[in-house]
Amino acid sequence: MMRDETIIIGGGPAGAAAAIHLARRGMPVRLLERQAGPHHKVCGEFISYEAAHHLKNLGLDLPALGAQPIRRARFYNGEQDLHFALPFTAWSLSRRTLDSALLDQAKVAGASVELGTAVRKLSRAGNGWELTTQKKLAPVTQRAVRSAKTIFLANGKHELRDWQRPLQKETEENARFTGNLFIGFKMHLFPGNLHDWQEAVEIHLFDGGYAGLEPIENGVVNLCFLIRQEIYKTCGGSWPEVLRWLADTSSHLRLRLAGLTPLWHEPLAVAGIPYGFIASPADAVPDLFRLGDQAAVIPSFAGDGIAIALHTATLAAQIHGINGDSSAYHRRAHEDLAQPLRAARLLANLLAHPQGRNIAFTVARLLPALMREKILSELIMRTRVSLPDELVAGA
Ligand SMILES: Cc1cc2nc3c(=O)[nH]c(=O)nc-3n(C[C@H](O)[C@H](O)[C@H](O)COP(=O)(O)OP(=O)(O)OC[C@H]3O[C@@H](n4cnc5c(N)ncnc54)[C@H](O)[C@@H]3O)c2cc1C
């Protein structure tokens, strides 16, 4: 193996996009992904306008993959509802399809992609890095030691031993949507009437969390929701009880859930998400670039985590491609991400609060439709990470 190969740990949107960018620059790159093949992930599966532009630039044809256009949003606060036209066209596609299409594209671009290979240990070795990997090849587990000059850490929400994200204290204290208090669930369902779901995302807000529903490919609807851990405990940790609890939050959600048939016996679940985390440039380690959720975790309510993953991948590849160091990358990433993260946290905190929700809904309903949509689009744009210049030209 070439000594100056860049190794990317993790094959989600951040890792796969970085592999494509580096390979396109003619740089030797190897991506290690612990999952052996396409898999589902807890996610609202909402692809923002910005994410869609990155994906197009990476060679993905969203409509050809079956992605559904999303042009409208329906918000519910208990029995109140508000309907908006989105200020852009967004898309929705299952993460299983999206992530594997990106990995395929990385191979096409010339990156070496190794699936089913988990990195167990990462340590400094001289001027570079040494990695211990583990691959399950039934009936044996193969261990190997590799070396690289540069590491892109794109392992998402999972922490790598000795290289955990340095979480700031304020993340835990200030964010009402603190991941440690919440569990995220995802379930795919068949709708009784697909027509109800065309081009619309639905957000149901309630005390203790929120639920998002939207159509994805193949006539399926994705349900993704966050609830406080104590609600899960009150439901005895039982999925049918959690669904019953969810249906009781409003007559709208009850009606919705009654018209949907789950495709899986059990949902996917995730806990301990450090919403509000942003990697500080002061913590930058030479030759180690943190991408995606390893760089920043935006409240999922904002629906822009994938765009952040793709944005940081673009930046890291650009900076590494001109021999820039990881501190230059982390400074730039922090500059780009701090404001959208702040805005998303403010919005999430406001809407997590019953009074905040009631005031927001009452004011929005009093406003003339045009002004309401203008304010909403302004709010949404504040939670967005701007497109890099070369993509703005093509947007
Ligand atoms: C409840 C919820 C809803 C969300 N909804 C949306 C949404 O609608 N729209 C949106 O844009 N964002 C959403 N997000 C955020 C989005 O899912 C993430 O921001 C995005 O997946 C980050 O991409 P990533 O590549 O950094 O990490 P990931 O997608 O998590 O990918 C990391 C990869 O690394 C691999 N890996 C981990 N450890 C190792 C290891 N040691 N060795 C090798 N491989 C490893 C994993 O298997 C995984 O494939 C949501 C998040 C949550 C929690």
Side-chain angles (χ1 to χ4, degrees):
M1 189 187 72
M2 290 172 68
R3 182 73 176 84
D4 62 356
E5 187 174 71
T6 297
I7 289 192
I8 300 175
I9 304 175
I20 298 169
H21 285 303
L22 291 178
R24 281 183 180 173
R25 287 175 169 266
M27 297 171 74
V29 51
R30 181 173 301 272
L31 181 151
L32 308 175
E33 163 56 49
R34 66 179 187 175
Q35 296 280 352
H39 55 284
H40 290 289
K41 278 180 184 162
V42 176
C43 185
E45 309 196 318
F46 178 85
I47 299 176
S48 69
Y49 167 85
E50 291 76 10
H53 274 285
H54 279 284
L55 293 169
K56 190 173 169 203
N57 179 48
L58 291 164
L60 261 62
D61 181 343
L62 286 175
L65 289 168
Q68 300 297 302
I70 302 290
R71 297 194 170 91
R72 287 173 283 119
R74 301 193 282 253
F75 282 92
Y76 298 89
N77 173 33
E79 299 308 316
Q80 297 174 301
D81 62 326
L82 275 174
H83 297 202
F84 294 97
L86 286 177
F88 45 68
T89 299
W91 295 86
S92 63
L93 184 67
S94 73
R95 288 296 300 276
R96 188 185 157 94
T97 303
L98 175 66
D99 290 18
S100 44
L102 277 169
L103 286 174
D104 287 346
Q105 203 58 31
K107 285 183 220 156
V108 170
S112 304
V113 174
E114 286 186 38
L115 300 182
T117 307
V119 174
R120 294 290 173 224
K121 198 169 171 222
L122 174 68
S123 32
R124 272 274 179 218
N127 284 335
W129 297 93
E130 193 173 271
L131 302 94
T132 308
T133 60
Q134 186 176 309
K135 193 173 180 125
K136 281 199 182 110
L137 289 169
V140 289
T141 299
Q142 223 174 44
R143 278 191 168 246
V145 175
R146 296 144 188 271
S147 56
K149 174 77 182 78
T150 307
I151 296 290
F152 278 15
L153 214 49
N155 46 320
K157 53 189 102 23
H158 313 274
E159 300 291 6
L160 195 64
R161 190 157 55 100
D162 300 332
W163 298 100
Q164 288 93 338
R165 285 165 289 190
L167 300 184
Q168 300 93 339
K169 234 182 164 180
E170 56 143 19
T171 304
E172 279 144 45
E173 286 163 5
N174 295 346
R176 199 173 286 275
F177 266 78
T178 297
N180 292 339
L181 303 177
F182 283 83
I183 306 189
F185 291 95
K186 176 173 109 166
M187 171 61 89
H188 282 176
L189 312 105
F190 266 135
N193 181 359
L194 191 57
H195 188 73
D196 285 355
W197 294 98
Q198 269 172 8
E199 302 197 342
V201 57
E202 265 188 25
I203 306 285
H204 297 258
L205 303 165
F206 45 78
D207 284 345
Y210 80 91
L213 287 141
E214 63 176 16
I216 52 167
E217 71 270 26
N218 301 327
V220 170
V221 167
N222 181 35
L223 163 68
C224 182
F225 62 96
L226 271 185
I227 53 169
R228 293 180 73 92
Q229 295 215 2
E230 63 255 30
I231 298 171
Y232 183 62
K233 284 190 195 135
T234 313
C235 294
S238 137
W239 170 239
E241 283 304 318
V242 169
L243 269 187
R244 262 192 285 279
W245 183 92
L246 203 59
D248 282 344
T249 57
S250 78
S251 62
H252 296 292
L253 198 46
R254 175 170 306 122
L255 199 68
R256 277 315 196 194
L257 295 175
L260 293 164
T261 310
L263 281 173
W264 311 325
H265 287 302
E266 292 286 325
L268 291 183
V270 65
I273 312 145
Y275 288 125
F277 164 73
I278 179 162
S280 163
D283 294 325
V285 172
D287 306 314
L288 184 78
F289 294 68
R290 287 184 188 270
L291 319 182
D293 279 1
Q294 285 287 314
V297 185
I298 196 162
S300 31
F301 181 80
D304 220 17
I306 297 170
I308 288 181
L310 301 174
H311 184 86
T312 50
T314 311
L315 275 187
Q318 274 171 354
I319 292 175
H320 180 43
I322 53 165
N323 277 327
D325 62 10
S326 67
S327 58
Y329 157 72
H330 280 286
R331 268 197 309 279
R332 177 67 199 276
H334 194 276
E335 255 168 45
D336 290 0
L337 304 179
Q339 197 282 327
L341 228 73
R342 234 182 349 257
R345 276 178 56 178
L346 275 174
L347 197 61
N349 285 347
L350 172 82
L351 297 177
H353 206 284
Q355 268 176 333
R357 284 200 302 276
N358 290 339
I359 292 169
F361 266 69
T362 308
V363 171
R365 293 169 78 133
L366 287 173
L367 292 172
L370 263 179
M371 193 186 290
R372 188 164 64 209
E373 292 195 353
K374 198 164 178 288
I375 292 175
L376 180 82
S377 75
E378 178 65 25
L379 273 176
I380 292 178
M381 294 326 272
R382 279 177 190 272
T383 65
R384 296 287 178 247
V385 182
S386 306
L387 286 170
D389 292 343
E390 68 273 19
L391 288 191
V392 174

